Amino acid sequence: MKKWRCNVCGHIHEGDQPPAECPICGVGPEDFAVEQEPAAKLPVAAKRWKCTVCDYVHEGDHPPDKCPLCGVGPELFVLLLDETRQLTRAAVAEAGQDTAHSALDKISYGLYIVSSIKDNNINGQCCNTVFQVTSKPLRISICLNKNNLTHEYVMASGVFAVSMLGSDQTAAVHRFGYKSGRDTDKFAGVDYIAGQNGCPILTNCLAYVEARVMPEKMVDVGSHTLFIADVTAGRMVANAEALTYSLYRSSKR
Ligand SMILES: Cc1cc2nc3c(=O)[nH]c(=O)nc-3n(C[C@H](O)[C@H](O)[C@H](O)COP(=O)(O)O)c2cc1C
């Protein structure tokens, strides 16, 4: 015998056909869908916990005591809800920010090195929040944490460069994404060329752009500043596959 779930209130009806009317909320048979086999019959997948600081993903019943990549505690991990479920009006009604975390995990990003300069000192950080805002005028945006040294440099000089990474350049993510320039010289031993605006560009990047922040378009978004900037120069270097966040994550598993 089939099981039918009411899409509005979740009532389960057993029978070959859906009921003429839901006994709980009164909707018709068109609002019933065949209930999927219980998840218990499927192999139970491990829970996945995402570090909200560095995006490391941990599998297990609980978050780790300490993030192996950036060192923060379990309180900064969120549970990624991976279950497949039918989208019903009830599921939409009960959704909140907790269930949005795993949804946001499906947004695709590239990975880049954003670099800047201040008083002849250079620094750079890994950044996924780079995107083109408009083509005419040619503008991009980046979103940087206010605690980052790169943020301090961009605020001071108003200029930055973005080096686009190739799919095999995960080492650059480790170098620029997990340590601060306050503690180490991240460009020591790295081949780079100064751009027209003085910001360092990785010589082995796929492509790069240089940009100048529009001072009236710096948006304080709490922990981060969203910088919108005019692209002042840029060039393709190698036409190879670009590094995406999802490629990077799969390389860590
Ligand atoms: C994959 C990845 C993506 C990141 N994306 C961003 C980002 O978009 N914005 C940001 O502020 N920090 C981002 N970070 C974190 C910074 O790269 C990191 O905090 C860095 O150590 C800051 O360095 P700094 O203090 O030398 O500027 C990312 C880190 C990783 C590993």
Side-chain angles (χ1 to χ4, degrees):
M1 196 184 301
K2 287 182 189 164
K3 284 188 175 177
W4 300 82
R5 175 184 284 275
C6 173
N7 285 341
V8 176
C9 69
H11 168 69
I12 300 288
H13 166 87
E14 293 194 1
D16 290 336
Q17 300 295 325
E21 186 178 282
C22 176
I24 306 296
C25 67
V27 295
E30 67 283 359
D31 275 318
F32 276 78
V34 177
E35 178 74 337
Q36 305 297 318
E37 281 298 299
K41 291 195 177 166
L42 300 171
V44 180
K47 286 183 185 167
R48 295 171 69 235
W49 302 85
K50 183 168 109 167
C51 172
T52 53
V53 175
C54 72
D55 283 341
Y56 167 74
V57 175
H58 166 87
E59 294 193 355
D61 285 340
H62 306 284
D65 293 338
K66 189 178 174 193
C67 176
L69 292 184
C70 69
V72 297
E75 68 286 357
L76 285 173
F77 277 76
V78 292
L79 178 62
L80 294 176
L81 300 171
D82 293 325
E83 86 262 35
T84 302
R85 59 182 297 170
Q86 197 171 6
L87 190 62
T88 60
R89 277 186 247 167
V92 170
E94 75 185 23
Q97 285 196 336
D98 51 343
T99 50
H101 281 294
S102 52
L104 289 171
D105 208 40
K106 295 292 175 205
I107 295 181
S108 308
Y109 297 95
L111 289 183
Y112 313 95
I113 304 304
V114 169
S115 58
S116 191
I117 186 165
K118 179 187 175 189
D119 302 332
N120 289 326
N121 295 313
I122 56 168
N123 189 53
Q125 67 156 83
C126 180
C127 189
N128 64 283
T129 51
V130 176
F131 70 94
Q132 183 172 345
V133 180
T134 52
S135 322
K136 284 184 183 173
L138 203 49
R139 282 183 184 149
I140 59 171
S141 72
I142 57 172
C143 195
L144 301 186
N145 191 303
K146 290 175 185 170
N147 295 328
N148 293 354
L149 186 62
T150 312
H151 180 281
E152 183 184 317
Y153 284 17
V154 173
M155 281 296 241
S157 65
V159 291
F160 62 90
V162 180
S163 298
M164 286 84 169
L165 299 175
S167 55
D168 57 350
Q169 290 182 284
T170 51
V173 176
H174 295 144
R175 172 178 279 266
F176 288 94
Y178 297 108
K179 287 179 201 150
S180 175
R182 296 184 204 285
D183 305 319
T184 181
D185 176 1
K186 290 194 256 186
F187 277 98
V190 172
D191 282 336
Y192 68 88
I193 293 176
Q196 294 171 19
N197 64 10
C199 300
I201 300 161
L202 299 185
T203 47
N204 61 355
C205 66
L206 290 192
Y208 75 91
V209 290
E210 299 184 48
R212 187 190 316 109
V213 171
M214 303 173 69
E216 72 283 16
K217 299 250 185 290
M218 288 193 308
V219 187
D220 184 335
V221 287
S223 57
H224 289 58
T225 303
L226 178 71
F227 296 97
I228 298 175
D230 286 311
V231 172
T232 53
R235 188 171 281 282
M236 274 285 296
V237 180
N239 197 5
E241 187 186 17
L243 182 60
T244 62
Y245 218 141
S246 103
L247 271 178
Y248 174 64
R249 280 189 183 130
S250 51
S251 77
K252 284 196 292 184
R253 290 195 183 112

